[in-house]
Amino acid sequence: MAIRSRSVVTIADVARACGVGTMTVSRVINGKKHVSPEMVQRVEEAIARLNYQPNEAARTLKGRTSRTIGLIVPSLSDPFFSQCAHAVQQVAAEQGYMTMLFACEANRNVEAEELSQMRSRNIAGILIVPSSENSLEQLQELRRNGMPVVMIDRTFAGIDVGEVMVENIEGALRATNHLIDHGHQRILCVGYDREYNSISQRIDGFKKAVQNASLQPQYLLVNRGVAIGPRVIAALRSPKPPTAIFTLNNVTSVAVLTALKREEIRIPQQVAIIGFDDFDLASLLAVPLTAVRQPAAELGRHATRMLIDSLRVGNGTGRMPSRIVLPTELIVRQSCGCEPISRIPHSK
Amino acid sequence: MAIRSRSVVTIADVARACGVGTMTVSRVINGKKHVSPEMVQRVEEAIARLNYQPNEAARTLKGRTSRTIGLIVPSLSDPFFSQCAHAVQQVAAEQGYMTMLFACEANRNVEAEELSQMRSRNIAGILIVPSSENSLEQLQELRRNGMPVVMIDRTFAGIDVGEVMVENIEGALRATNHLIDHGHQRILCVGYDREYNSISQRIDGFKKAVQNASLQPQYLLVNRGVAIGPRVIAALRSPKPPTAIFTLNNVTSVAVLTALKREEIRIPQQVAIIGFDDFDLASLLAVPLTAVRQPAAELGRHATRMLIDSLRVGNGTGRMPSRIVLPTELIVRQSCGCEPISRIPHSK
DNA sequence: TGCCAATGTGATATCGTTCTCAAAATCGCT
DNA sequence: AGCGATTTTGAGAACGATATCACATTGGCA
């Protein structure tokens, strides 16, 4: 025979304990004006004594918006996303917001379902690393209803959301140039097909660098789900094989490295490699990987601040004009053929 | 002049559209009995047409509990935790629960703050990888009020929460034995001091194996915040240096590997190493790391199921009797001195 | 036929908070 | 002293959903 007693202390209890009305207590809690100092003290004492905590559900119901932001990422197994999520959660917490976490596994249905959940839960705003164009319409609908939205890492055209990106073109350009500087003439760009504009931009950067050097760009772009390793090996066994590889993201780098290891192809002697997206263990690899570092945590931080700012000023229906683009950094290690030296910060 | 219109459609709107009372609509939504089939159809149509979604805040306020679980992890940068978090989120979503994510950075104040947030948000239950004993009292208080709690990876005595652990003792024993089988006589156990019982158990397993072989256990246990790399190097330069190292967790392994690399100490020739806790890139390292694999995702899955089960049956005030212990697996690679062979599954 | 049970439906109270508005008290100024 | 302006306070109505209870309507069965 369970007696449910969770969170029994209500604002009314506090009010009664002080012999005042609930409104007075409410005003004290919310730091409003028009309360006498002594009253503030008396109420605060009672709150502490009774261990009172406001019921967020009631507040949300009344105020129409919870102090909660939703974060949708494709997955947490990719350190890029988990670092980003981590930063989001931290900044949000600092600002008094909770983070509702969603990992959609790049599944459009899941993403859609999650967005719909957001609506019913009076989420204050949405941070999303969008996985597919399919949710676009739903996001637009949410925007129309005044929901602030910030896209991280990737964006889609035609929707007025906040955007926090990295300098993909410049980063890819810089990386490719580095390979060219090493004397490579046949460079293979490996990754998933132009799913997102971030990937597109990286491909564009690669192309630009290669063409600037009057070389022929080579591509190996596959669809999600296709094993990329064997394709790379095949390319390396073709008549005029690439002497260097530029991988478009984290998972691609790992896939390629794994394949190269299995086939015992030596880096950088037989093939050099630079990856877009750095990761913690890159320096401990058999051949430490030269990589374009994306400031994952920074991305998350900026996005969260942007979102919360727009929450504060506007009532949500305002536009989301902002766009932040963060620089990348080329971390030179040995997979490109360099002796390990230094970091080359990247600026325009 | 913004007109706020978010989520205007209420249950009353649906009721009006059907010319019925709100209770009828509510009954349809919640699949209760006592509604005629035609009415169900009519209401469901209206719901779809109006794109109605129930307001969770209102439901929570009335029902006293939200369909939301809280997850507290020390950090997301450790892949062990992020994999775990990922699994939690997935299982929860399948069961219709949302996941509120918290990363406490092993900061006791943050953890406390987060727990108190949980209370005010009518969280249905808590999953926690506890960071310190400090929150124990608070957790106990929550338990007393009927909040289901499941601890993951670590537990503390004297509190009746659900527990999902791995076989730490057996895993450490197995790993240490493997080193002993390689002929090592002086094995150093490296890690952070007995902060958690999971670490304690690993140390116990190590000790047991070493003593079974009539060897002297050697320890290098530091407090959090102390750089572990230099200490290891110092130990290796002592008169009778260890010939093998057993690291107690992920971050320790990485710290040690980094130090060994910097000092150009060769693995496994100069020192062999086995780590507790495997990670994705372990096989791509300069010397692929032999490690005890913990089923991080499984841990998260089991914990989530346990929590949600206890949510369903009890009204929360029941006891949380369960304890699940999952097996580990020794992944043999080359850092132990083996040629790369196979996985040795671990069973009692 | 009469009566109890089961079914379908809606009016109303309630959850805990904040908003609106009005009343009371205080102050400043002519 | 008089009067408007300001501060301090509280009563009551929301917010949107569900629980409770009451009221019809049906059906089964003696």
Side-chain angles (χ1 to χ4, degrees), chain A residues 20-21 23-24 27 34-36 39 61-62 64:
Chain A
V20 300
M23 246 341 267
T24 305
R27 273 188 274 254
H34 304 300
V35 197
S36 68
M39 182 60 86
L61 177 57
K62 193 81 228 304
R64 279 293 231 289

Side-chain angles (χ1 to χ4, degrees), chain A residues 2 53 68 86 105 116 121 317, chain B residues 2 68 86 105 116 121 317:
Chain A
Q53 277 195 301
T68 304
H86 199 259
E105 292 305 325
S116 126
R121 291 191 180 245
T317 35
Chain B
T68 304
H86 199 260
E105 294 304 325
S116 120
R121 288 185 183 250
T317 35

Side-chain angles (χ1 to χ4, degrees), chain A residues 111-319:
Chain A
E111 198 174 80
E113 167 61 26
E114 289 171 349
L115 283 171
S116 126
Q117 280 277 348
M118 302 242 174
R119 192 156 70 99
S120 70
R121 291 191 180 245
N122 304 78
I123 292 270
I126 297 177
L127 291 171
I128 180 171
V129 180
S131 280
S132 91
E133 231 160 329
N134 292 56
S135 326
L136 217 56
E137 197 182 337
Q138 215 171 347
L139 277 170
Q140 210 127 21
E141 163 76 21
L142 284 165
R143 280 296 296 130
R144 248 177 273 126
N145 288 337
M147 175 79 81
V149 176
V150 174
M151 287 188 179
I152 304 177
D153 183 56
R154 317 157 177 174
T155 59
F156 289 107
I159 173 172
D160 68 328
V161 298
E163 299 175 3
V164 180
M165 307 269 298
V166 300
E167 290 176 346
N168 286 296
I169 296 182
E170 295 81 350
L173 189 94
R174 169 75 51 130
T176 311
N177 276 339
H178 188 80
L179 288 171
I180 293 171
D181 290 347
H182 271 286
H184 291 284
Q185 307 254 332
R186 293 192 304 277
I187 306 174
L188 184 64
C189 174
V190 182
Y192 296 99
D193 213 352
R194 311 183 164 258
E195 299 180 289
Y196 317 117
N197 66 340
S198 55
I199 297 292
S200 273
Q201 289 174 0
R202 290 169 204 176
I203 295 175
D204 291 347
F206 165 80
K207 188 175 171 189
K208 201 160 151 189
V210 169
Q211 291 183 337
N212 280 352
S214 306
L215 301 172
Q216 270 305 323
Q218 282 182 266
Y219 302 102
L220 173 52
L221 303 174
V222 304
N223 289 323
R224 191 159 288 279
V226 176
I228 224 164
R231 310 286 292 268
V232 169
I233 300 304
L236 286 173
R237 299 219 165 115
S238 67
K240 295 187 97 183
T243 61
I245 293 175
F246 173 57
T247 50
L248 290 167
N249 65 9
N250 209 328
V251 295
T252 310
S253 305
V254 173
V256 171
L257 289 175
T258 305
L260 294 180
K261 181 193 162 90
R262 192 182 316 116
E263 300 293 323
E264 297 182 354
I265 295 171
R266 282 179 312 151
I267 307 167
Q269 292 85 348
Q270 294 178 266
V271 66
I273 175 168
I274 293 186
F276 204 106
D277 207 354
D278 192 28
F279 44 87
D280 269 358
L281 291 169
S283 60
L284 288 179
L285 295 183
V287 181
L289 182 72
T290 296
V292 178
R293 198 182 87 83
Q294 297 192 73
E298 280 299 301
L299 235 57
R301 269 193 282 276
H302 274 100
T304 311
R305 287 208 200 93
M306 185 189 287
L307 187 73
I308 293 180
D309 282 353
S310 88
L311 249 37
R312 281 207 224 293
V313 298
N315 33 24
T317 35
R319 71 269 99 86

Side-chain angles (χ1 to χ4, degrees), chain B residues 26-46:
Chain B
S26 176
R27 274 188 273 255
V28 171
I29 293 168
N30 296 292
K32 291 284 185 63
K33 328 221 145 210
H34 306 298
V35 197
S36 66
E38 3 151 357
M39 182 59 86
V40 171
Q41 167 138 18
R42 188 140 63 100
V43 171
E44 276 173 349
E45 247 173 56

